[in-house]
C-alpha cells in the first residue's frame, strides 16, 4: 500500500512543478518583453529620424527584412 502513496506523491509533485514552471516562465517572458519590446517599423523610422535622415518606405522595409533574416 505504501508504494501507491509514493506514486501519488510523485505525480502530484510533477503536476505542481509543471504548473509552477509554466507560471514562472510566463512571468519572465512578459517582463522581458516589457523591458525589450520587439522592433517595429515605427521604431526604425524614429531611429533614422534621430540620426538626421528622412527614411523612405523602401529603406524601412530593407532594415526590417535584414533584421528578420538575422533572427
Amino acid at each position: 500500500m505504501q508504494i501507491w502513496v509514493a506514486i501519488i506523491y510523485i505525480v502530484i509533485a510533477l503536476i505542481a512543478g509543471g504548473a509552477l514552471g509554466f507560471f514562472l516562465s510566463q512571468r519572465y517572458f512578459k517582463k522581458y518583453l516589457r523591458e525589450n519590446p520587439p522592433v517595429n517599423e515605427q521604431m526604425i523610422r524614429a531611429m533614422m529620424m534621430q540620426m538626421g535622415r528622412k527614411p523612405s518606405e523602401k529603406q524601412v522595409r530593407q532594415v526590417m527584412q535584414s533584421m528578420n533574416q538575422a533572427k
Side-chain angles (χ1 to χ4, degrees), residues 38-47 55 57 60-61 64:
V39 177
N40 58 19
E41 291 181 3
Q42 290 176 339
M43 293 172 83
I44 292 172
R45 281 190 191 92
M47 183 177 60
E57 193 65 27
V60 172
R61 290 188 182 170
M64 280 297 293

